[in-house]
Amino acid sequence: MARDLDNTGLMGELRRMARTSGAVGGIAARMAGNRLGFKTDKGVHAEGLKSALGNLKGPLMKAAQLLSTIPGALPDEYAEELAHLQSNAPPMGWSFVRRRMQAELGAGWEKHFRSFSHEAVAAASLGQVHRARLVDGREVACKLQYPDMQAAVDSDLRQFRAALGLYKQFETTIRQDEVYTELADRLREELDYRREASHLRLYRDMLSETPEVTVPAPVEELSTGRLLTMDWVSGRSMRTVLGENLPLEGRNAMATALFKAWYTPVYRYGVIHGDPHMGNFTVRDDYGLNLLDFGAVRIFSPRFVEGIIDLFKALRENNEELAFHAYSKWGFVGISRETASVLNEWARFFYRPLMTDRVCSMQESNDPAEARQVLEKVYDGLKRTGGVKLPREFVLMDRSAIGLGSAFLRLEARLNWHKMFEELIEGFDVNVLAARQKEALVKAKVPPALSSL
C-alpha cells in the first residue's frame, strides 16, 4: 500500500534534514579524512551513501549524479556509486492524489477527465505521472509534483553546499562554487511546471522541422505551477527496444534522432536539454523519439555556443591561440596557457567523434576505458597547473555530453558524426543565433532564467 507523503511544514523539513545530514555530513567527513591520510573503507561508505540518498525524492540525488560526471569532483568510489543512483521514492496514494488534484484544479476537478488512472504510470524526480483521458477523448499525461518540494530542494541544497564547502578545504583542483550556483538555480526552476510548459512550447517550435522527434503539446488550461498536463505520446523504453536484438538500421535511426533532438536546439537556438536520461525519452515505432521531460532546460548565451564551435575549429586546425580564447567564451576565467593546454587534452578526446570524418561507432572514437585514462591525466595536469574553476555554463553541457555519449555507446550505432555536426553548424553566425533565440523565447513565453548572482 502506498504511503501518504504529506510531510509539509516544519516537521517534514526536520525529518528530511535528519535523513540527509547524516549521509551528506558523513561523506564530507570521510572525504576530509581521506585527504588527511586516514584510511577508510570507501566502497562500503559509498554504498551506504547510495542507500541513504536513494530514499530521497530526487533533488540532492540529481546534484550528486551530476558531480559524478566531473573528473576529480568526487573520489572514484563515490562517483561510481552515485552515477548509478536512481530515485525509489514511494508513490503518492490515490487519496492523496485526489487532494492534490483538487488543490491544483479546484473542487470538481474530475469533470475535466473522462478517466484518470489511480496508479502512477511513471515517476519523475520531483513528481509522478498519471495517464488520463479528457472529455473530448484526447489522451494526456498529468505530471503532479510531490508535496513540499520547495522545502525539499532548499533543504537538500543546504546539505549539498555544506558538503562541498568541507570538501573544497581539502581539494582545490576542481573548484565548484559556480557548479553549486548553477545547480541551485536549475533545480529551483524545475519546481515551476508553468516554466516547463513553456519549454514544451519552445521545443515544439525548435524541432518543428525535425520529424524524427516528437514533443508533446501542453494542455494550458489544465496546467498549473505544480501540475503539468500534456499530450500522451506512445512509445517504448530504449532498454526494451535494445533487448530485441535490433538491427543496425534501427539503432542508427534512434541515434540520429537523439543527436538531432539534443543538438539542433543547441547550435541553432543556444538551448540545451540538460538531462539526457533514458527515462526522459521513449522510442516510436519508426525508431524516432518522444521527448518527455523538460524541467532541466538551459538557455546559453550565444557567445558560449560560439565558443563551442571555436574550440572545435581550433582543435581541428591545431590552433592553440583560438582554443585559448574559446575557453573564455565558455566562461573559464583567468586560466593560464598551460591550463588551457591541459584542457585541450580533455577537449580532443570528447570532440574526437565530431572530428572523425567517416562512419564509425562511438566506441571506436570515445572508448570508455580510454576516457578514464584521459580524465586522470587531465586531472593530474590541472592539479599541477593550479586547478580550474568550472564555469556555470559548463555544467549542463558536460552532463548532456556524458549522458548522450553513454546512450550512443549502448546503441552501438555506426554513423558519420562529423558530417551530422558540420550540417548543424554550417553557416553559423552568432548574431543570427542571438536573433533566432530571442524570437523563439518570446514566442514560447519562456520566463527569464533564475539567477543567484
Side-chain angles (χ1 to χ4, degrees):
M1 181 177 178
R3 281 185 282 162
D4 194 313
L5 297 176
D6 195 7
N7 288 338
T8 56
L10 178 61
M11 289 309 295
E13 170 76 357
L14 291 175
R15 280 191 290 270
R16 186 174 185 83
M17 289 187 68
R19 289 203 308 272
T20 61
S21 59
V24 176
I27 185 175
R30 285 189 287 275
M31 286 176 180
N34 292 335
R35 293 291 169 183
L36 292 174
F38 294 104
K39 291 185 177 180
T40 60
D41 189 339
K42 293 182 285 186
V44 171
H45 295 323
E47 180 63 34
L49 177 70
K50 186 176 76 169
S51 297
L53 299 188
N55 290 320
L56 301 180
K57 279 290 186 292
L60 182 61
M61 179 193 74
K62 292 180 76 169
Q65 284 177 320
L66 191 147
L67 271 188
S68 72
T69 68
I70 299 175
L74 293 172
D76 289 345
E77 292 82 1
Y78 295 115
E80 179 67 21
E81 291 293 345
L82 292 173
H84 297 98
L85 189 62
Q86 300 295 329
S87 177
N88 61 359
M92 292 183 283
W94 175 238
S95 62
F96 192 76
V97 168
R98 284 189 301 179
R99 296 202 304 273
R100 293 284 290 105
M101 289 296 293
Q102 181 172 323
E104 298 308 311
L105 297 181
W109 64 271
E110 297 98 330
K111 70 178 183 292
H112 299 291
F113 302 94
R114 185 181 299 177
S115 63
F116 192 100
S117 67
H118 287 202
E119 302 291 332
V121 295
S125 58
L126 304 181
Q128 65 188 42
V129 180
H130 291 260
R131 188 171 184 172
R133 188 180 295 274
L134 303 183
V135 291
D136 63 4
R138 180 179 176 186
E139 275 204 288
V140 294
C142 296
K143 184 162 78 167
L144 185 61
Q145 193 171 116
Y146 294 127
D148 202 27
M149 289 310 295
Q150 179 69 63
V153 166
D154 290 343
S155 174
D156 281 357
L157 286 172
R158 283 196 297 272
Q159 299 298 327
F160 189 53
R161 188 171 198 170
L164 289 182
L166 182 55
Y167 184 42
K168 74 178 182 181
Q169 295 181 40
F170 302 93
E171 176 50 66
T172 59
T173 302
I174 308 291
R175 296 189 291 279
Q176 302 168 34
D177 307 68
E178 293 292 288
V179 172
Y180 170 82
T181 303
E182 176 71 7
L183 284 174
D185 287 346
R186 301 292 80 78
L187 283 173
R188 289 182 175 124
E189 284 182 351
E190 285 195 57
L191 291 169
D192 182 3
Y193 285 179
R194 288 192 180 90
R195 179 185 294 273
E196 185 170 350
S198 76
H199 293 162
L200 284 168
R201 295 191 294 269
L202 177 63
Y203 266 76
R204 283 176 62 81
D205 182 31
M206 294 189 298
L207 296 173
S208 61
E209 297 180 8
T210 307
E212 298 93 336
V213 184
T214 300
V215 178
V219 182
E220 311 286 353
E221 63 274 19
L222 297 179
S223 297
T224 69
R226 295 187 298 177
L227 170 67
L228 176 58
T229 303
M230 69 198 101
D231 286 340
W232 179 270
V233 288
S234 295
R236 296 180 295 160
S237 72
M238 181 183 284
R239 287 188 179 90
T240 299
V241 175
L242 289 179
E244 300 174 348
N245 296 317
L246 192 66
L248 179 62
E249 183 181 3
R251 290 185 274 116
N252 283 348
M254 290 164 61
T256 299
L258 194 58
F259 189 95
K260 291 183 177 181
W262 254 262
Y263 289 131
T264 298
V266 172
Y267 294 106
R268 289 189 57 79
Y269 296 88
V271 179
I272 199 164
H273 187 305
D275 195 5
H277 186 275
M278 285 203 295
N280 286 344
F281 51 84
T282 57
V283 183
R284 303 183 325 206
D285 289 341
D286 63 355
Y287 302 116
L289 295 180
N290 303 308
L291 297 190
L292 303 178
D293 191 315
F294 294 84
V297 167
R298 219 293 182 183
I299 314 299
F300 291 130
S301 68
R303 186 171 182 266
F304 175 75
V305 181
E306 183 180 41
I308 298 172
I309 296 172
D310 282 353
L311 186 55
F312 168 76
K313 292 177 179 177
L315 296 173
R316 185 181 58 191
E317 300 164 5
N318 291 315
N319 186 334
E320 291 196 9
E321 187 68 21
L322 180 59
F324 180 75
H325 290 292
Y327 288 119
S328 68
K329 295 179 181 180
W330 277 58
F332 287 91
V333 177
I335 64 172
S336 67
R337 299 274 174 170
E338 191 177 8
T339 298
S341 180
V342 173
L343 290 174
N344 283 344
E345 294 188 52
W346 158 81
R348 283 191 185 94
F349 178 78
F350 283 100
Y351 274 81
R352 191 189 296 165
L354 305 181
M355 297 169 66
T356 304
D357 190 9
R358 61 180 174 83
V359 172
C360 64
S361 70
M362 192 64 68
Q363 183 89 22
E364 291 175 58
S365 56
N366 258 186
D367 181 70
E370 184 185 355
R372 174 167 288 277
Q373 294 176 353
V374 170
L375 292 177
E376 287 177 354
K377 184 178 179 181
V378 169
Y379 177 74
D380 290 341
L382 291 176
K383 192 171 186 177
R384 185 184 67 252
T385 59
V388 68
K389 182 178 181 180
L390 293 177
R392 290 187 61 161
E393 290 186 309
F394 175 86
V395 177
L396 290 190
M397 192 69 192
D398 176 72
R399 175 174 183 159
S400 289
I402 296 293
L404 288 172
S406 175
F408 291 141
L409 285 168
R410 292 196 63 169
L411 284 167
E412 298 181 341
R414 295 184 58 81
L415 294 166
N416 188 324
W417 312 94
H418 169 83
K419 182 179 179 182
M420 293 164 65
F421 182 68
E422 287 281 5
E423 288 173 355
L424 272 181
I425 66 172
E426 184 179 5
F428 176 83
D429 184 307
V430 68
N431 295 316
V432 171
L433 183 146
R436 188 187 296 125
Q437 180 190 81
K438 181 178 180 180
E439 181 181 0
L441 294 177
V442 170
K443 181 179 178 181
K445 300 178 182 177
V446 177
L450 295 180
S451 176
S452 299
L453 298 179

